[in-house]
Amino acid sequence: MTRKTWPLTGGIHPPENKHQSTQLPIKIAALPDKVVLPLSQHIGAPAEPIVAVGDYVLTGQCIARANGFVSAPVHASVSGTVTNIGPMAVPHASGMFEPCIEIQSDGLDQWVALKTNEDYASLSTEALLETIQQAGITGLGGAGFPTAVKLAARAESAIKTLIINGTECEPYITADDMLMRERADQIISGIQILQHLVKPTECLLGVEDNKPEAIVALKKAAKNTTIEIVVFPTKYPSGGEKQLIQILTGKEVPSGSLPADIGILCQNVGTAAAIHDAVILGKPLISRITTVTGEALQQPGNFEVRLGTPVDFLLEQASLHSEHLGRLVMGGPMMGFTLQSLAVPIIKTTNCLIAATQTELPPASPAQSCIRCGHCAEACPVSLLPQQLFWFAQGKEYAQLQHHNLFDCIECGACAYVCPSHIPLVQYYRGAKGIIRQQELMQQKAAQSKQRFEARQDRLAKETAAKEAKRKANAEKAARLKAAAAEKAASDQQPKQEIQAALERAKAKKAPNKSKPQLTAEQKELKIQLAMVSAQLKKLQRNIEQSESTPDVKQQEDLDRLQQQQQSLETALAAATPNDSNQAAPPVEKATTSNSKENASSGPDLKVLQIKLAQAKAALKKAERAYAAAAENNAADQDALQATIAGKQVALAEAEQALAKAKTSTEAPSPSKEAASKKPKKPPLDEKTKTLKIQVAMAKAQLRKLNKLAEHADTAPPKEEIEASEKALSEAESALAEHQQQPSSSLADA
């Protein structure tokens, strides 16, 4: 049974001009001296180079990897050395430059090791997709969309119908026609791999009826398979994806949707053959079938050409007559574009080169005003309003263009072909699409910027709110602490007042009594001397009491002397103190121990005496250390240091006596002390007694020194020196004793 087809909406019948390139079989193009491989031969992100200048590469080696989900790798099409990586001229209507990799061929065409796989059914879906993706296969019908991405159908859009496009409806192009004639088996094998991947319920291969040889070859290769060859009438542009779906299934793809949304997947016959080579043979996409035709060529035909081959090199193999070349078009005459240079390379989407003469493709006629004939609307295969879109494009009404579904236009050129005013409608549409895409990109960036700004404002607002909440919390805490402190201060106010009153009372007690008369310097000196004598007397009395025996002659003499000195000082102090109504002079005859209160008021300051005693002790220790150092070093000034020690000992004794006397005067006298105080007092030491005592101390110090030296054999002094020192000490003690036994009257006279 012949499958039912649906007629194409709109469409035209331009001259086909296909017979020029179908007279000869496909030729294998010669290897060029160098190839230039653009990194962007597909829709999506450009590939990323993985080789460097100077690297040697093999045929089929990956030299640039896919850089993103919608991207495809690039492989070396010849073996040789990488000579340049950078911007170079690429096939484009503007003659633009893009990043490319240039390889200088070594002419050997050495291949990398290929991994074949005859049993593709044993591979998982993921492994098959990875193989297709790594082979760099893209749509070879002209769009260049990465095939692996297109095959990864979403689960919610299960593919029910697989359509293989063998239409090739555009004039001049016969690459797919010759491929179907000569390599139908490879195409059918590739389609079966696609069936294994997407598992459709039906598979349709659509071919126009102007390709009888290809139809016969395909039906023969598809025998005993589930692939159905569907033949339908020739009409341009039936090769469009959405148009072919309408012809074969009667379904229309909604505006803004994809065929996968209605369960349909379309692939080109050239893509199916490339999938066979990648999966079964392990070959990446490094070449393609390209139609080379036009009246400027002597031998037009179809060539299997390596990607990156310069266009001028390929034209030479078709015997180009340069003098006849008026225009070189890449692609078909309806949807192709004029090349600005012959040095650009062949890429994955290059399906045709038309080297036309001036008469074959004359320059476009000047555009005239639209006469509103409506031919363009009749020819539009998408049922758009081309003249309305043209006016909106001229007026830059981009919102209206989008409202009238500008992006549903497939840019087939049918409207411009039938326009009697020769208006280049497609160029207006392409320009408007570019501007709209740019505006949408800017709006997207603005939306992203707005989103970032709003996020920042929200963050700042939250930070400000957090700071304000923290500030309020701190203020409340400070207020609570302040209230607690005030409450505590109020509760502590009474004790503080009591403490302050106590401090003021203590301060008042410490303040000097201005009512008391101030002592003169003479009175202060007399009081100090009286205190020293009283301390000596008190110390002597305490020693006599502790011995619990009758004082000897010496002690009695000292006692009498100190009592006489005390009486004399009291008399002098009383004479120096003025008499007034508030103060009476103390009696001269009264002993110090008779009235403790009076002694306390006139006695010396204990602190002063304690300081003098401490100074005397420190001076004695210092003198003893100096003498010890001199004795150790056997210095010459030892005798002088001994005399200094004796003097310091006497001063220390006097300071101790004065302090003891002062302490005794502040205490109530005991009965024994009162009795002792009534004994006759002795006069103070005379100068001779002091001298004799100093001599005795010096003799003792000298003897101690000699005895200390005698303890060591190496420093022992002569025995005669020790005996002489002992004799000197004995004589000094005898002289002192004799002097102290003399009558007190003679001592006083002396």
Side-chain angles (χ1 to χ4, degrees):
M1 274 181 75
T2 303
R3 185 180 181 90
K4 178 184 177 181
T5 59
W6 283 260
L8 174 67
T9 301
I12 56 175
H13 293 276
E16 294 182 358
N17 293 322
K18 294 179 178 286
H19 62 281
Q20 296 96 325
S21 57
T22 57
Q23 304 302 315
L24 298 174
I26 298 174
K27 299 179 182 178
I28 305 297
L31 293 179
D33 294 335
K34 69 173 182 178
V35 294
V36 176
L37 298 167
L39 299 180
S40 182
Q41 304 182 45
H42 50 269
I43 293 176
E48 180 182 3
I50 57 175
V51 294
V53 175
D55 289 352
Y56 181 80
V57 295
L58 300 175
T59 305
Q61 178 180 338
C62 182
I63 59 176
R65 61 190 171 195
N67 188 20
F69 177 68
V70 183
S71 185
V74 177
H75 299 78
S77 57
V78 295
S79 61
T81 304
V82 177
T83 57
N84 189 14
I85 300 177
M88 303 178 197
V90 296
H92 195 271
S94 64
M96 64 185 297
F97 283 64
E98 284 188 350
C100 302
I101 298 178
E102 182 182 80
I103 301 175
Q104 188 70 36
S105 175
D106 58 3
L108 301 177
D109 196 27
Q110 297 181 353
W111 279 73
V112 296
L114 301 180
K115 182 180 179 181
T116 61
N117 191 354
E118 294 291 342
D119 186 15
Y120 65 86
S122 62
L123 298 177
S124 64
T125 301
E126 292 75 13
L128 282 174
L129 289 175
E130 179 68 14
T131 301
I132 294 171
Q133 195 273 340
Q134 292 299 326
I137 299 175
T138 63
L140 299 184
F145 194 86
T147 303
V149 178
K150 196 171 183 179
L151 290 174
R154 295 169 294 179
E156 62 271 19
S157 301
I159 302 302
K160 297 179 180 180
T161 303
L162 174 63
I163 295 178
I164 306 301
N165 190 346
T167 307
E168 199 172 48
C169 60
E170 191 164 0
Y172 284 93
I173 306 177
T174 59
D176 289 348
D177 185 7
M178 297 303 298
L179 180 66
M180 290 185 289
R181 292 185 190 185
E182 299 183 15
R183 303 179 185 179
D185 292 337
Q186 297 180 15
I187 295 173
I188 298 301
S189 174
I191 295 173
Q192 289 177 323
I193 296 173
L194 290 173
Q195 286 181 297
H196 177 72
L197 274 172
V198 300
K199 296 177 174 57
T201 57
E202 61 178 352
C203 180
L204 308 177
L205 198 163
V207 185
E208 286 185 328
D209 57 7
N210 62 348
K211 304 174 181 63
E213 295 88 348
I215 294 171
V216 172
L218 289 173
K219 286 184 176 182
K220 180 180 178 180
K223 190 176 181 180
N224 299 325
T225 67
T226 58
I227 303 171
E228 183 178 356
I229 310 300
V230 182
V231 182
F232 53 89
T234 301
K235 193 176 186 181
Y236 180 84
S238 59
E241 184 178 56
K242 293 182 179 181
Q243 285 67 44
L244 182 60
I245 292 173
Q246 180 185 1
I247 293 171
L248 297 181
T249 66
K251 299 179 181 179
E252 292 188 9
V253 180
S255 176
S257 300
L258 297 174
D261 296 333
I262 59 173
I264 298 177
L265 176 67
C266 290
Q267 291 292 346
N268 182 265
V269 290
T271 305
I275 290 175
H276 163 81
D277 292 343
V279 175
I280 304 300
L281 305 179
K283 293 175 58 177
L285 182 60
I286 62 165
S287 63
R288 68 154 297 144
I289 307 299
T290 300
T291 300
V292 183
T293 185
E295 294 181 359
L297 298 175
Q298 183 176 353
Q299 296 179 347
N302 286 276
F303 295 84
E304 184 176 1
V305 57
R306 298 289 176 95
L307 301 180
T309 300
V311 169
D312 53 359
F313 180 82
L314 182 59
L315 293 176
E316 289 178 2
Q317 299 183 55
S319 302
L320 172 67
H321 297 290
S322 301
E323 65 277 7
H324 298 156
L325 181 62
R327 182 181 174 192
L328 180 62
V329 177
M330 179 173 286
M334 303 298 295
M335 302 182 67
F337 56 89
T338 303
L339 293 177
Q340 305 296 326
S341 171
L342 300 184
V344 296
I346 300 296
I347 61 176
K348 295 178 182 180
T349 57
T350 305
N351 56 359
C352 181
L353 288 175
I354 303 176
T357 61
Q358 288 284 353
T359 57
E360 187 177 13
L361 292 178
S365 302
Q368 300 176 9
S369 299
C370 176
I371 61 173
R372 305 183 185 220
C373 62
H375 294 333
C376 57
E378 295 174 358
C380 180
V382 195
S383 300
L384 297 177
L385 299 174
Q387 76 281 13
Q388 196 72 26
L389 295 176
F390 164 65
W391 293 328
F392 288 145
Q394 274 193 323
K396 299 181 180 180
E397 299 181 38
Y398 303 114
Q400 290 291 340
L401 286 171
Q402 290 180 284
H403 179 69
H404 284 73
N405 302 319
L406 172 65
F407 283 89
D408 286 344
C409 173
I410 63 174
E411 301 177 15
C412 63
C415 56
Y417 182 82
V418 299
C419 179
S421 298
H422 307 292
I423 301 174
L425 298 172
V426 176
Q427 281 77 351
Y428 281 101
Y429 304 155
R430 287 175 180 170
K433 286 181 179 180
I435 294 175
I436 292 174
R437 291 192 185 100
Q438 184 66 22
Q439 289 179 348
E440 290 178 348
L441 180 61
M442 294 176 64
Q443 290 175 359
Q444 183 179 3
K445 290 182 178 179
Q448 293 174 352
S449 299
K450 182 180 179 181
Q451 186 178 3
R452 292 195 302 269
F453 174 76
E454 291 176 350
R456 179 177 180 274
Q457 292 299 105
D458 292 342
R459 176 175 55 82
L460 293 177
K462 290 179 181 179
E463 291 178 356
T464 303
K467 290 180 180 178
E468 182 65 19
K470 186 176 180 181
R471 185 192 65 79
K472 290 182 178 180
N474 292 337
E476 292 175 357
K477 183 178 179 180
R480 290 194 300 269
L481 293 176
K482 187 176 181 181
E487 184 178 354
K488 184 178 180 182
S491 62
D492 295 344
Q493 188 65 27
Q494 186 65 26
K496 286 184 178 179
Q497 292 176 355
E498 296 176 358
I499 294 172
Q500 184 65 25
L503 292 175
E504 291 178 356
R505 289 194 298 271
K507 185 176 181 182
K509 289 180 180 180
K510 291 182 179 180
N513 190 357
K514 297 183 179 180
S515 62
K516 294 182 179 181
Q518 300 295 328
L519 298 177
T520 63
E522 182 182 359
Q523 291 173 337
K524 290 181 179 180
E525 182 65 27
L526 289 173
K527 281 192 174 186
I528 292 172
Q529 293 178 6
L530 179 59
M532 294 174 63
V533 173
S534 299
Q536 295 176 5
L537 179 60
K538 185 177 180 181
K539 180 179 181 182
L540 181 58
Q541 290 174 349
R542 185 167 58 252
N543 293 337
I544 293 173
E545 291 175 356
Q546 292 176 355
S547 64
E548 296 180 353
S549 62
T550 306
D552 56 13
V553 178
K554 183 177 180 302
Q555 290 177 340
Q556 187 62 42
E557 290 178 353
D558 291 342
L559 190 60
D560 294 341
R561 176 177 55 78
L562 291 174
Q563 289 176 348
Q564 290 178 2
Q565 290 180 354
Q566 186 183 40
Q567 186 176 6
S568 300
L569 289 172
E570 289 176 349
T571 304
L573 181 59
T577 304
N579 295 325
D580 52 19
S581 60
N582 297 328
Q583 184 177 1
V588 178
E589 296 83 3
K590 189 174 183 180
T592 304
T593 58
S594 64
N595 193 343
S596 61
K597 293 183 179 180
E598 293 180 0
N599 285 337
S601 62
S602 61
D605 191 355
L606 292 178
K607 290 186 178 180
V608 175
L609 295 176
Q610 289 174 351
I611 292 172
K612 288 185 177 182
L613 177 60
Q615 292 177 347
K617 288 181 179 179
L620 177 60
K621 290 182 179 179
K622 182 177 180 182
E624 289 177 349
R625 288 196 298 270
Y627 175 75
E632 185 177 355
N633 298 328
N634 199 15
D637 57 347
Q638 297 181 22
D639 296 338
L641 292 174
Q642 287 179 353
T644 303
I645 290 173
K648 299 297 183 183
Q649 289 175 346
V650 172
L652 177 60
E654 292 177 352
E656 290 176 347
Q657 292 176 359
L659 181 59
K661 178 66 177 179
K663 290 182 177 179
T664 304
S665 63
T666 60
E667 300 174 355
S670 62
S672 62
K673 290 183 180 180
E674 290 179 356
S677 63
K678 292 180 181 179
K679 293 180 180 181
K681 298 180 180 179
K682 289 186 178 182
L685 293 176
D686 56 355
E687 295 297 330
K688 187 174 181 179
T689 301
K690 293 181 179 180
T691 302
L692 291 174
K693 285 188 175 183
I694 291 172
Q695 291 177 357
V696 171
M698 293 176 62
K700 288 181 178 179
Q702 180 65 23
L703 182 60
R704 284 197 300 270
K705 174 185 175 184
L706 295 175
N707 291 332
K708 185 176 181 180
L709 294 174
E711 294 176 357
H712 305 282
D714 54 347
T715 60
K719 184 177 182 182
E720 294 79 5
E721 186 175 353
I722 296 176
E723 292 176 353
S725 178
E726 291 176 348
K727 183 179 180 182
L729 175 60
S730 177
E731 291 176 353
E733 290 177 345
S734 299
L736 178 60
E738 292 177 358
H739 181 70
Q740 289 178 344
Q741 291 176 1
Q742 294 179 2
S744 59
S745 60
S746 62
L747 289 174
D749 294 340

